[in-house]
Amino acid sequence: MQLAVLSGFLLAALVPLLSGAFDRRLGWLIALLPAALALWFGSHLPLIMAGEVITHEWAWIPGLDISLTFVLDGLSLLFALLITGIGTLVFLYASGYLAGHVDLNRFYVVLLAFMASMLGLVLSDSLITLFVFWELTSITSYLLIGFNHQDADARKAALQGLFVTVGGGLVLLAGMVLLAQMAGSYSLQEILTQGDVLANHPLYLAALLCLLGGAFTKSAQFPFHFWLPNAMAAPTPVSSYLHSATMVKAGVYLLARLHPAMGGTEIWQTLLPLFGATTMFVGAFLAIRSTGIKKLLAYSTIMALGTLTLLLGIGTETAMLAFAAFLLGHSLYKGALFMVAGALDHSTGTKDVTAMGGLRKVMPITAAAALVAGLSLAGLPPLFGFVAKELMFEAVLTGSYLLAYTLVLALVSSMLVIAVAAIVALKPFFGVLKTTPRTPHEAGGSMLAGPVVLASLSLLFGLFPGVAGIWLVQAAASSVAGEPLIANLYLWHGINAPLLMSLASLVVGALIFWRWEGFRQRLSVLDPLIARGPEAGYYKMMDGLVWLAAWQTRVLQNGSMRNYLSVILMTLVLLVGYTLLWRYQVHWNWELDVQLHELIIAGLLVAATAVACTTRSRLGAVASMGVLGFSVALIFVLFSAPDLGITQVLVETLTVILLVLVLFRLPGFVSLSTPRQRIRDAAVALLTGGLMTLLIMKTIDVQVFPSISEYMVAQSQPLGYGRNIVNVILVDFRALDTLGEIFVLALAAIGVYAMLKLNPGTEPGSNLRGGSLILPAREEEAKADKSSEEGRAA
């Protein structure tokens, strides 16, 4: 299973090598991978139907007890089949839609990486690996939305989607950490068995709110829904893949995965129906106001995501079956409709449905696929969307929390969506043939395969809902519910309340479609209110971030090294001091056993520091700092660390010599700090020094973990083959630390070498002359010396 997940990344790395050999057929070649993966996942259907859970584990970071564990059950199998099956059709579609595009290979690379990330997300057992793949989907979707990077709108939409989903990802990470602390494990399989423990834990509410924050941003729940319609700036293959069946359902997947452990509580059954029903209505309402075909589909996707969240919040057996059925049905018809939208745009040169009409005569296959998928979106028989909608109505009617609120919004949303489905499926293809920017024509075979196959599956599962129920819906619903369920799906359930709600929705939806132009114009009075919605809040937040960045740059990062040090040190004093003195009530212990020679060395340290801070001579300051360093070396020697003392002496000697060689040509200090500045700096220094002294005195006897010194002494010769324990520690036990220090020194040496070899001619206005460094303070003196030399020569 690990290979199935990682194969997408491997093939993405090979795309540049394969592009030259296969050229225009590269898309067809790449499509073989998701097709093969779909067949491989499909081969597990009998086992999953029998209730098996397939687990594959591979030690990823054994030292941290982190393994790459993938689990295949009913829910993850349904998502995996959607990801790979629709992914196959999307790659075929992209090979025709983006044929000849200069960046087509880059598109394939990122789309393959996204597919692999989605597979990793839905199959991961560890919260750590799930989060890694979660963030990878955000990054790859950012690259895909901004694929046409010359377009300012595409770049803007990509950044917006990235900020919203990654911001939610940070909140999600906090929720995952809390969840792991509550359950005592990062394994989802272990977490799902501790529902009672989690529900009664004091951290349950905080963890739930964080998890909902991550899921709601990813799955475009109100009030974070605004990024999804703007993401329609992406090429249509991206919309048909990411925004119908995969990425936007990642948050819904997470909620479904955690339902057995986190669901069933009062807060769960209140928040999810509340936000789900609100999102459902907002998506349907905003869709009916739009004229762009991709915006219509994007808002109807928001409606569907709200429906799925609502069903998870209801939590009954019927709701779980409705969730799985609606998830499957929506992925099929929405993927087909997005591809139809791309075919219309590709053929006519416009996305505006009001500018299209009569295209069924020139695009008959596209029109047929759109009609079938549109009927499924509307929830009309004999399509699978009808079966899913009937289950949804039945689940809403049996809900116990917010029944009136969810029932009204579900019914109104269904009415609006029927009108939206008619606008998408009927308006472009029926009526008088209109003039469009391009001469309309039927799409090619690669672009027709996707909508035809997906629409056909919607019809097939609608005519034989028992097939979808037994093979796909039942296992997925059982995984979400945490217990075995029986999915008896039928096209006809008799005359009942859900059927009457469907009929009412059909009548009202048809009336709205009939009077759509006038209805849409009347809704325009709400435009000022909508303009002040969540998206306006997002832009105000971004403006606030810019203002905050400008303020802190002006105040904190103003180019003054003194200011930088003061801010850093005072922050350290406040945070550490609060922790020590107020939170843990740590006090100074004045019982110190100090010898006379130790007092002399301490006095020497203080005197050297005072001279360095007050002298006007640069050489005097350097000499005082040297005395300070040598005094520290003497302390090392007195406290039985001669090796450190020798190292300190060597470093101090070299430092003093280098500083003398560089600074002896510089003038004395032009001016000292003002008395006020010196008092402030002295206060900062004393507070920092006192705090560090207190911290060291209090922590010197603290031992959180057993000491390893005895182990190093005992194993120096057997394991390190050396009798010098310090050397063995440096080059063996702590070899990585030593390697890091070597790298630091090497980088410093490279920097020094580069400065010494810098060519003065490469930097206009450089202060380097003749290979010597001429500082600004010395430029006038250098000019005077040169003039004097020229005069003497004359």
Side-chain angles (χ1 to χ4, degrees):
M1 200 179 299
Q2 287 86 352
L3 182 60
V5 173
L6 301 178
S7 59
F9 295 117
L10 297 176
L11 183 57
L14 296 176
V15 165
L17 301 177
L18 298 173
S19 60
F22 292 91
D23 196 18
R24 294 182 178 273
R25 295 295 178 184
L26 182 59
W28 291 76
L29 176 66
I30 293 175
L32 293 177
L33 174 64
L37 291 176
L39 293 174
W40 186 79
F41 283 117
S43 67
H44 294 82
L45 277 171
L47 289 176
I48 301 302
M49 288 170 55
E52 294 288 335
V53 176
I54 303 171
T55 303
H56 290 265
E57 183 175 0
W58 176 64
W60 182 17
I61 310 177
L64 299 178
D65 196 23
I66 298 177
S67 61
L68 201 61
T69 304
F70 295 114
V71 174
L72 192 66
D73 62 359
L75 180 63
S76 57
L77 177 60
L78 176 58
F79 269 94
L81 288 174
L82 292 174
I83 292 166
T84 54
I86 296 179
T88 302
L89 301 174
V90 167
F91 278 108
L92 294 177
Y93 186 87
S95 67
Y97 186 86
L98 295 173
H101 197 288
V102 65
D103 292 323
L104 181 57
N105 290 339
R106 175 166 62 88
F107 179 84
Y108 287 146
V109 169
V110 181
L111 195 62
L112 279 169
F114 172 80
M115 182 189 74
S117 301
M118 274 302 304
L119 283 175
L121 191 156
V122 301
L123 295 172
S124 292
D125 176 60
S126 169
L127 291 176
I128 300 297
T129 53
L130 189 152
F131 179 77
V132 170
F133 287 117
W134 180 284
E135 292 300 285
L136 284 175
T137 61
S138 295
I139 295 171
T140 50
S141 68
Y142 162 75
L143 297 174
L144 289 169
I145 294 171
F147 175 70
N148 295 319
H149 51 83
Q150 300 87 354
D151 185 1
D153 290 337
R155 298 196 302 270
K156 183 178 178 181
L159 280 174
Q160 186 183 72
L162 182 69
F163 283 139
V164 173
T165 56
V166 170
L170 294 176
V171 178
L172 174 67
L173 179 60
M176 287 181 169
V177 172
L178 291 176
L179 181 60
Q181 287 184 344
M182 294 160 59
S185 173
Y186 279 93
S187 171
L188 281 169
Q189 296 302 302
E190 296 181 18
I191 292 173
L192 296 182
T193 62
Q194 302 186 46
D196 293 336
V197 175
L198 298 179
N200 297 316
H201 199 282
L203 295 176
Y204 173 82
L205 180 59
L208 177 62
L209 293 178
C210 291
L211 293 170
L212 291 182
F216 283 2
T217 53
K218 197 77 161 184
S219 287
Q221 298 296 295
F222 179 86
F224 308 107
H225 62 281
F226 53 85
W227 72 266
L228 180 55
N230 294 332
M232 294 303 107
T236 300
V238 176
S239 302
S240 61
Y241 195 34
L242 275 67
H243 305 138
S244 65
T246 53
M247 177 191 166
V248 292
K249 289 191 173 76
V252 172
Y253 165 81
L254 180 64
L255 296 178
R257 175 58 70 200
L258 294 176
H259 178 269
M262 302 290 287
T265 62
E266 184 176 353
I267 186 68
W268 175 282
Q269 293 180 333
T270 301
L271 290 179
L272 267 67
L274 176 63
F275 282 93
T278 304
T279 303
M280 183 195 315
F281 171 73
V282 169
F285 174 76
L286 294 177
I288 204 69
R289 299 175 59 259
S290 304
T291 58
I293 189 168
K294 289 183 69 175
K295 285 290 183 73
L296 281 160
L297 296 174
Y299 282 121
S300 66
T301 298
I302 293 174
M303 185 281 302
L305 295 171
T307 304
L308 293 171
T309 303
L310 166 64
L311 293 172
L312 288 171
I314 293 173
T316 61
E317 292 186 5
T318 304
M320 298 299 96
L321 293 173
F323 169 84
F326 200 93
L327 174 69
L328 175 60
H330 175 262
S331 299
L332 296 178
Y333 65 68
K334 192 55 63 70
L337 288 174
F338 267 118
M339 293 182 189
V340 167
L344 289 171
D345 179 28
H346 193 269
S347 175
T348 64
T350 181
K351 298 184 180 72
D352 191 347
V353 293
T354 61
M356 305 179 200
L359 293 175
R360 72 184 187 281
K361 298 177 181 179
V362 292
M363 305 177 69
I365 302 177
T366 304
L371 182 61
V372 173
L375 289 174
S376 189
L377 169 61
L380 298 180
L383 281 303
F384 191 69
F386 171 75
V387 178
K389 189 174 74 170
E390 292 290 289
L391 280 172
M392 183 270 290
F393 279 146
E394 184 179 349
V396 172
L397 287 170
T398 58
S400 57
Y401 288 84
L402 304 174
L403 176 60
Y405 182 79
T406 57
L407 183 60
V408 171
L409 290 188
L411 184 59
V412 174
S413 301
S414 178
M415 296 172 181
L416 295 175
V417 166
I418 287 177
V420 171
I423 294 168
V424 172
L426 300 179
K427 200 165 186 59
F429 300 101
F430 293 88
V432 180
L433 183 63
K434 296 183 179 181
T435 302
T436 55
R438 298 177 189 165
T439 303
H441 58 277
E442 186 61 276
S446 60
M447 294 179 62
L448 288 175
V452 168
V453 170
L454 295 176
S456 300
L457 287 175
S458 294
L459 179 60
L460 178 64
F461 288 158
L463 293 173
F464 305 99
V467 175
I470 294 174
W471 287 88
L472 296 172
V473 173
Q474 181 172 292
S478 299
S479 296
V480 178
E483 58 184 8
L485 300 179
I486 303 298
N488 294 319
L489 304 186
Y490 300 100
L491 184 61
W492 176 253
H493 290 269
I495 300 176
N496 51 22
L499 180 63
L500 295 177
M501 294 174 66
S502 296
L503 290 175
S505 302
L506 177 60
V507 173
V508 177
L511 290 174
I512 294 175
F513 171 66
W514 180 44
R515 305 292 296 174
W516 179 51
E517 292 290 343
F519 187 74
R520 183 165 52 85
Q521 291 176 3
R522 290 185 179 89
L523 291 177
S524 62
V525 299
L526 298 176
D527 288 350
L529 179 62
I530 296 173
R532 295 184 178 89
E535 188 170 10
Y538 163 81
Y539 286 118
K540 288 183 179 179
M541 183 194 72
M542 298 305 295
D543 292 340
L545 287 177
V546 173
W547 177 87
L548 180 62
W551 174 84
Q552 70 89 23
T553 301
R554 183 177 63 256
V555 175
L556 302 180
Q557 294 179 311
N558 52 14
S560 171
M561 182 61 70
R562 169 184 285 147
N563 185 69
Y564 292 166
L565 289 175
S566 298
V567 171
I568 293 172
L569 293 177
M570 285 307 299
T571 302
L572 174 69
V573 168
L574 290 175
L575 294 179
V576 179
Y578 164 78
T579 304
L580 286 177
L581 301 178
W582 279 273
R583 185 173 181 181
Y584 292 105
Q585 301 293 317
V586 174
H587 301 289
W588 182 271
N589 183 5
W590 294 100
E591 297 180 3
L592 300 176
D593 183 14
V594 182
Q595 302 296 323
L596 177 62
H597 62 277
E598 295 172 353
L599 288 174
I600 294 174
I601 297 175
L604 189 60
L605 286 170
V606 173
T609 303
V611 172
C613 293
T614 56
T615 183
R616 292 178 177 271
S617 169
R618 295 185 186 273
L619 291 178
V622 172
S624 299
M625 294 301 294
V627 172
L628 187 67
F630 289 123
S631 299
V632 172
L634 188 57
I635 291 177
F636 288 149
V637 173
L638 290 177
F639 286 92
S640 303
D643 53 338
L644 293 178
I646 294 172
T647 304
Q648 180 72 12
V649 169
L650 293 175
V651 170
E652 281 300 324
T653 302
L654 181 61
T655 302
V656 170
I657 292 174
L658 289 176
L659 288 175
V660 168
L661 291 176
V662 172
L663 298 179
F664 83 99
R665 293 177 57 86
L666 297 178
F669 294 114
V670 177
S671 63
L672 293 176
S673 304
T674 63
R676 182 178 178 180
Q677 290 174 329
R678 277 179 280 176
I679 293 173
R680 182 196 65 187
D681 295 344
V684 172
L686 290 173
L687 286 173
T688 306
L691 176 67
M692 295 306 299
T693 302
L694 176 61
L695 184 63
I696 292 173
M697 295 297 291
K698 287 299 180 183
T699 58
I700 195 169
D701 295 326
V702 174
Q703 185 120 11
V704 179
F705 301 102
S707 175
I708 61 171
S709 57
E710 295 181 0
Y711 170 83
M712 291 181 174
V713 171
Q715 300 299 327
S716 175
Q717 203 281 329
L719 295 181
Y721 301 101
R723 299 185 180 278
N724 188 319
I725 299 175
V726 174
N727 288 350
V728 172
I729 292 174
L730 291 175
V731 301
D732 196 330
F733 292 137
R734 301 185 61 181
L736 290 179
D737 288 348
T738 305
L739 181 63
E741 294 169 0
I742 292 173
F743 278 135
V744 171
L745 293 175
L747 289 174
I750 293 172
V752 172
Y753 179 80
M755 292 181 65
L756 293 175
K757 293 296 183 180
L758 180 65
N759 184 357
T762 60
E763 293 291 336
S766 173
N767 291 323
L768 285 170
R769 301 202 184 141
S772 299
L773 177 63
I774 306 297
L775 298 175
R778 295 280 294 161
E779 283 197 32
E780 296 300 325
E781 182 181 345
K783 290 179 181 179
D785 291 344
K786 184 176 181 181
S787 300
S788 177
E789 292 176 0
E790 290 176 351
R792 286 195 297 270

